[in-house]
Amino acid sequence: NGEDYNYNLDGETERVGAEILFEHYFDKLTLRESYTYTKAEITSGKYDGSDMPGVPENRATVGATYDFTTDLKVNTDLNYVGKTYDTSDFNNEYGKTNSFVTVDLNLNYAYDPTLNIYGGINNLFDREYYEYVGGSMNWDSFEREKFYYPANGRNFFIGFRKSF
């Protein structure tokens, strides 16, 4: 049986990064691109010099918003999340998990200046990826076993926002 538990690191971590965002306006169409680079490293203690597991170095989004009218807008985003070490791989010795891409789509209608009605679909193409990947030692076989927590597949939402 595998055994796993949560614990605090005995050292410090450091995250350094940069984000860049561009928006382009063409009448009723807005295009946007963003890229985020994050270097997350353990800087002292037992795992000094290792990358912080579970933190991707690269993230990017490409999106568009179209204003059908001043009250009705549709928005879509393509989201890229880069590879990471398994969340429990503090030594960075078991390779990185796969990167993934998802697409989100939503609609927003301003019923009046104080009421917005919205809805959409996250993970439009039902992409299978994992929210969390970890590992633990199986003491019967003395081999490391990975375990996966799948992220949500395609999911829908609807709501409203009222201002007073």
Side-chain angles (χ1 to χ4, degrees):
N1 292 335
E3 184 178 307
D4 202 23
Y5 51 89
N6 292 325
Y7 61 95
N8 292 326
L9 289 175
D10 67 347
E12 300 289 321
T13 64
E14 179 179 86
R15 296 171 196 234
V16 176
E19 182 172 26
I20 189 165
L21 169 71
F22 295 102
E23 289 188 336
H24 317 280
Y25 302 96
F26 305 98
D27 193 31
K28 295 181 176 200
L29 178 67
T30 303
L31 301 177
R32 67 192 160 279
E33 308 85 34
S34 70
Y35 170 74
T36 304
Y37 172 81
T38 306
K39 178 64 175 167
E41 187 175 10
I42 301 170
T43 57
S44 65
K46 180 178 177 181
Y47 304 109
D48 185 20
S50 293
D51 287 345
M52 188 67 189
V55 180
E57 283 189 357
N58 300 292
R59 288 180 176 263
T61 298
V62 176
T65 300
Y66 188 79
D67 300 337
F68 286 103
T69 68
T70 56
D71 299 329
L72 180 63
K73 300 176 185 212
V74 66
N75 181 67
T76 186
D77 287 305
L78 181 138
N79 308 293
Y80 167 81
V81 177
K83 296 180 176 189
T84 66
Y85 286 102
D86 296 354
T87 307
S88 58
D89 185 8
F90 291 99
N91 285 317
N92 301 160
E93 60 189 351
Y94 297 108
K96 291 187 173 187
T97 62
N98 293 331
S99 58
F100 60 88
V101 174
T102 61
V103 175
D104 301 328
L105 179 68
N106 64 66
L107 195 65
N108 186 4
Y109 177 68
Y111 180 76
D112 65 38
T114 66
L115 178 63
N116 281 2
I117 302 168
Y118 58 88
I121 306 169
N122 292 322
N123 197 0
L124 179 66
F125 299 112
D126 204 23
R127 168 80 165 121
E128 185 176 296
Y129 67 98
Y130 301 100
E131 193 93 74
Y132 176 91
V133 178
S136 63
M137 181 60 72
N138 181 321
W139 296 110
D140 293 333
S141 64
F142 292 100
E143 293 181 2
R144 184 176 189 272
E145 294 179 339
K146 284 190 175 188
F147 51 88
Y148 301 88
Y149 291 92
N152 289 328
R154 181 182 307 116
N155 61 88
F156 305 86
F157 65 92
I158 189 166
F160 69 92
R161 185 172 24 256
K162 177 72 175 165
S163 301
F164 297 95

